[in-house]
Amino acid sequence: MAELLFYVLAAGTVAAGVGVIACRNPLFSVLSLLGAFFCLATIYLLAGFPFLAATQLLVYAGAIMVLFLFVIMLLNLGDEEQYAERPPFGKRGLAIAGASAGVLLLIAVFSVGFGSVSASDGDSPAVTSFPDESIDDVQSIAELLFSRYMLPFEASSLLLLATMIAVILLAKRQRGSGAEGAGWPWKKGVEQ
Amino acid sequence: MFVVKRKELSLRERLFLPEIARALGHSLRAIFKPKITRQYPEEGLPTTEVTRGQPRLVVKEDGAMACVSCGLCEAACPAYAITIDGQETDRFIEREPERFDIDMLRCILCGFCEEACPKDAIFMSDELELADYSREALKYDIEKLKRPKAALQKRIDYVYRINERWRSSSSTS
Amino acid sequence: MPELPEVLAWLLKAALIYGGLLGTAAGMTLAERKVSAWIQWRIGPNRVGPWGLLQPIADGIKFIFKEEVVPQGANPVLFRLAPMFSAVPAMLAVAVIPFAGDLSFFGHSTTLAIADIEISALYVVAIGGLGVYGVILGGWSSNSKYSLLGGLRASAQMVSYELSLILCILAVVVMAGSLNLSTIVADQAGHVFRWNLWSQPLAFVLFVIATFAETNRHPFDFAECEPELVGGFHTEYSSMKFALFFLGEYCAMVVMACLTTTFFLGGFEVPSWPEAPWWIQLPAFLAKAGIFLFLFLWVRWTLPRFRFDQLMSIGWKVMLPLALANLFATGAVISFF
């Protein structure tokens, strides 16, 4: 039952992932990504990590994708047509990129997926054996996060803070300079 | 030139919450106030003697109509709502309407017909409700317009009183 | 495989809780009109059934028989999907709320929650926060400027106030030391003064304010703003799709009222009677939640709407720092005393 569910969800994740890059309409791309997040969260839940699943939904689906939607709704949605005809790197570049991505994917699948299916010992990170009980992982995650991974954790938050400040600075600078269109940074972008 | 300065808010006002609580108390008290809703179809609309509702034709105490189909109301009507055909009778007042139609869809309830009538035959009643399922049903004929004089007495008295006042004031000036 | 009594208990609980949720949501539509009428010295709907009690049913039948209109230029898929996005998350979120303590079905002891999972506090916020998609997608797919503005406002508003909401919940979670709602309730058991309302007054006030913003209720209903956006995100919607939006809004209100009760008013605990049977705990819970449901209506018919910049500045400059400070103080007190 759980295995069947896993394969359905995995297929759903991949399909949604393909949908993200295949959809012409950026809004549908965002929704596909949302679907991928949902499938992933459910897989986490199956694997016994409810905390991870809830955080996935809370942070990615609940906050970040909402902001994505916010931005996409503000953009001019007619724009995607002009990029549709001319891929930026040419056909050969695309072919090389696709081939290498496919090889990487195959390597990943063979080394992780089938390896663990064939492994019979219990302690491999197997997708085929789901725990009966959910793991109470909040405490352990918190302990690791605030002891062993304290520095990376704080560093990543600092990075985010720096990015935020940089974005604000960029926006502010654009608003200050320029005689006409002052205060309307997006207008300047259109004129150029 | 007036400059309205925005009022500096005190800390208590900037917190909003005390004022919100005060507003909530106000609306909570309102819940227990007596209700002012009128249960319309059952309770009916309030009418006074001044109420200028739909025009109605007076039927005198002896059962005859007061109208002599002179056509003055028809002429006075700004909405062309009234249509009259007259006929003769054997009575002392030898004319009465054969047909007296008021198209209530056209009537604007202005009361000109009441003022124009020389025989006190048409008055604005206190009937206000005007709704039906078809246009034809709202073209009132003489049978629908007839009212005994007693039913209109309140308005008749009022019109007389008002006209009396006008008459006396015009005579003094 | 779970045994038959367990499955039966699940089914019964799910039927009870979802029936209750939808019934309450339907009742709230009537209560909204009744309370608004009372506050304005009116009587309110009283034609359908005794005291107008059958009004929600009449409304539902009317919604079902109304014509469905999909505006020209609207995105047909998203336009039909958006009402579902709006209604489903609120209904999902109610699954983990414990409505009563121990009760036994056929000799099988359980709590009156559909799923008593370990991280239920997080789950509620994660799932409840998805309700904004319905508003955003509905606003965008309608191909109408009013709807688009409503959707934009909703997305900005929800993201802003979700932060304060979660920080307030975190303060309570720190108090109880668990993300499980049942544990949080058990932590407040015993006495009225053990309720988090007294130990976390600031978090309580901020939480209640944030729930108003999260459910798009007055004075924060910028997504639908009747005077300026003529209905906002649901301007173009009609018939049952519109009803679904309403159902979602009222379900979200019910969920938020239940959450406030659970986090700050001791959930189903009866004061000074920890071992109360479930048929006393359930009404106690409903009574407490009813206070907040009434508060939703009461505030709506009392306060005017904020301005959008005021909403943003309150959310980011007042509520968020206060909630952060509150969480910090709570953590400090817990760890040092």
Side-chain angles (χ1 to χ4, degrees):
Chain A
M1 181 68 183
E3 280 168 50
L4 184 70
L5 205 54
F6 168 77
Y7 283 115
V8 169
L9 285 169
T13 314
V14 173
V18 170
V20 175
I21 49 172
C23 282
R24 280 286 176 81
N25 190 335
L27 208 80
F28 279 106
S29 294
V30 168
L31 289 180
S32 303
L33 199 51
L34 192 65
F37 285 153
F38 260 97
C39 293
L40 261 182
T42 321
I43 291 176
Y44 291 152
L45 215 55
L46 269 181
F49 296 105
F51 179 76
L52 213 53
T55 317
Q56 168 99 4
L57 283 188
L58 185 63
V59 175
Y60 284 104
I64 292 186
M65 293 323 283
V66 173
L67 290 179
F68 268 52
L69 273 183
F70 189 88
V71 172
I72 284 172
M73 278 159 70
L74 283 174
L75 293 177
N76 188 1
L77 279 176
D79 283 354
E80 73 263 28
E81 296 299 326
Q82 66 194 44
Y83 300 113
E85 298 306 316
R86 287 185 294 115
F89 301 113
K91 277 178 183 164
R92 187 171 299 174
L94 270 186
I96 293 172
S100 43
V103 168
L104 277 176
L105 190 67
L106 279 181
I107 291 172
V109 165
F110 275 107
S111 62
V112 178
F114 293 101
S116 60
V117 169
S118 60
S120 52
D121 54 328
D123 56 308
S124 70
V127 289
T128 48
S129 64
F130 292 106
D132 291 332
E133 293 289 311
S134 66
I135 302 162
D136 181 16
D137 48 357
V138 185
Q139 212 126 33
S140 47
I141 287 178
E143 266 167 22
L144 277 178
L145 210 54
F146 285 102
S147 57
R148 195 202 247 173
Y149 298 107
M150 185 75 176
L151 197 64
F153 180 67
E154 291 299 329
S156 59
S157 60
L158 261 182
L159 184 67
L160 283 177
L161 187 66
T163 319
M164 222 152 66
I165 293 170
V167 167
I168 291 171
L169 264 181
L170 280 175
K172 282 270 176 192
R173 186 177 298 163
Q174 244 179 354
R175 178 172 293 191
S177 66
E180 55 192 331
W184 306 103
W186 52 85
K187 251 186 188 168
K188 284 178 75 180
V190 169
E191 281 161 9
Q192 277 160 6
Chain B
M1 180 179 149
F2 292 102
V3 177
V4 181
K5 284 234 173 71
R6 183 159 290 209
K7 195 185 148 208
E8 279 290 316
L9 297 180
S10 67
L11 181 67
R12 184 174 170 279
E13 285 167 328
R14 264 183 296 153
L15 270 178
F16 285 128
L17 286 175
E19 293 297 304
I20 287 175
R22 218 158 61 90
L24 286 176
H26 187 82
S27 56
L28 188 65
R29 275 197 300 278
I31 288 182
F32 302 105
K33 289 250 173 67
K35 307 298 174 227
I36 56 172
T37 306
R38 181 177 299 276
Q39 295 285 330
Y40 165 61
E42 291 88 9
E43 279 187 32
L45 293 163
T47 56
T48 65
E49 55 179 10
V50 192
T51 305
R52 201 175 66 210
Q54 301 162 25
R56 291 291 182 262
L57 297 179
V58 172
V59 178
K60 289 183 294 187
E61 282 87 347
D62 60 359
M65 295 203 57
C67 178
V68 295
S69 60
C70 65
L72 281 180
C73 55
E74 193 176 13
C77 183
Y80 306 112
I82 301 176
T83 316
I84 303 174
D85 285 338
Q87 69 179 6
E88 298 202 345
T89 66
D90 301 334
R91 288 198 301 273
F92 176 68
I93 296 170
E94 55 199 19
R95 279 177 66 84
E96 69 170 17
E98 180 193 7
R99 166 173 176 229
F100 196 113
D101 291 353
I102 302 182
D103 186 347
M104 290 312 301
L105 292 171
R106 307 201 61 150
C107 177
I108 54 171
L109 312 179
C110 61
F112 282 10
C113 47
E114 179 189 73
E115 283 182 32
C117 186
K119 301 297 285 182
D120 290 347
I122 187 166
F123 279 99
M124 309 305 279
S125 67
D126 57 4
E127 292 167 40
L128 296 163
E129 284 152 10
L130 187 65
D132 215 307
Y133 291 102
S134 73
R135 287 167 178 277
E136 288 309 313
L138 285 166
K139 287 175 179 148
Y140 283 12
D141 61 5
I142 196 162
E143 289 307 318
K144 277 190 171 173
L145 292 170
K146 272 181 181 172
R147 287 291 179 276
K149 196 177 178 186
L152 299 167
Q153 197 59 50
K154 208 164 71 168
R155 174 76 187 182
I156 294 173
D157 292 344
Y158 168 75
V159 170
Y160 266 81
R161 210 171 71 232
I162 287 294
N163 286 351
E164 193 61 40
R165 193 163 77 203
W166 286 344
R167 215 170 287 145
S168 58
S169 65
S170 62
S171 65
T172 48
S173 61
Chain C
M1 274 301 283
E3 292 165 23
L4 188 64
E6 204 172 348
V7 174
L8 263 181
W10 277 342
L11 287 178
L12 270 176
K13 281 193 293 190
L16 185 67
I17 289 173
Y18 276 105
L21 175 70
L22 293 179
T24 316
M28 282 298 284
T29 61
L30 174 65
E32 174 106 74
R33 295 169 66 180
K34 275 286 188 188
V35 170
S36 80
W38 291 336
I39 285 178
Q40 295 161 2
W41 304 6
R42 295 184 289 113
I43 293 175
N46 62 348
R47 296 280 150 174
V48 193
W51 304 291
L53 279 179
L54 299 179
Q55 187 71 44
I57 296 173
D59 286 347
I61 292 171
K62 185 183 170 188
F63 272 131
I64 289 169
F65 284 107
K66 281 262 179 179
E67 185 190 357
E68 293 219 29
V69 181
V70 178
Q72 203 168 28
N75 190 317
V77 181
L78 288 183
F79 190 76
R80 293 189 170 86
L81 216 58
M84 302 179 209
F85 268 110
S86 170
V88 168
M91 296 188 193
L92 282 180
V94 87
V96 295
I97 295 172
F99 286 93
D102 288 327
L103 78 162
S104 46
F105 279 118
F106 312 112
H108 176 81
S109 181
T110 175
T111 55
L112 190 52
I114 298 176
D116 197 10
I117 57 176
E118 205 48 52
I119 46 134
S120 40
L122 211 55
Y123 168 86
V124 160
V125 189
I127 295 292
L130 298 179
V132 66
Y133 279 102
V135 177
I136 301 178
L137 292 178
W140 183 81
S141 64
S142 299
N143 192 28
S144 147
K145 43 187 154 320
Y146 296 122
S147 303
L148 182 65
L149 282 173
L152 280 176
R153 287 176 173 191
S155 56
Q157 171 185 342
M158 295 252 190
V159 170
S160 311
Y161 278 75
E162 213 169 3
L163 279 175
S164 314
L165 193 82
I166 294 171
L167 288 175
C168 294
I169 292 178
L170 271 185
V172 174
V173 166
V174 167
M175 297 277 294
S178 167
L179 280 166
N180 186 328
L181 291 181
S182 295
T183 318
I184 290 172
V185 170
D187 185 57
Q188 306 172 56
H191 199 268
V192 178
F193 289 103
R194 284 185 58 80
W195 289 358
N196 284 329
L197 172 64
W198 309 111
S199 50
Q200 295 281 353
L202 184 60
F204 173 68
V205 172
L206 293 177
F207 185 85
V208 170
I209 294 173
T211 56
F212 277 84
E214 278 292 295
T215 50
N216 274 326
R217 290 289 298 185
H218 266 267
F220 303 120
D221 65 335
F222 292 95
E224 37 192 309
C225 253
E226 288 87 357
E228 36 185 298
L229 294 185
V230 285
F233 65 96
H234 59 58
T235 305
E236 306 294 338
Y237 278 90
S238 60
S239 81
M240 210 53 206
K241 293 202 282 281
F242 177 75
L244 265 184
F245 271 125
F246 251 70
L247 195 68
E249 183 182 331
Y250 283 99
C251 282
M253 278 163 62
V254 174
V255 169
M256 283 301 178
C258 291
L259 278 185
T260 319
T261 309
T262 309
F263 284 128
F264 293 99
L265 252 61
F268 53 75
E269 292 293 341
V270 184
S272 311
W273 192 12
E275 296 91 18
W278 71 273
W279 44 269
I280 288 183
Q281 284 177 337
L282 183 60
F285 184 93
L286 295 182
K288 289 177 196 171
I291 296 172
F292 292 104
L293 284 180
F294 178 68
L295 188 70
F296 274 116
L297 308 179
W298 188 14
V299 167
R300 168 163 185 187
W301 298 104
T302 302
L303 297 183
R305 185 178 294 116
F306 278 87
R307 232 168 41 215
F308 194 66
D309 60 322
Q310 289 174 329
L311 168 94
M312 280 300 163
S313 71
I314 289 175
W316 288 102
K317 291 183 190 162
V318 182
M319 304 240 324
L320 187 62
L322 279 179
L324 264 176
N326 182 59
L327 179 62
F328 184 76
T330 309
V333 169
I334 291 281
S335 49
F336 291 120
F337 294 103

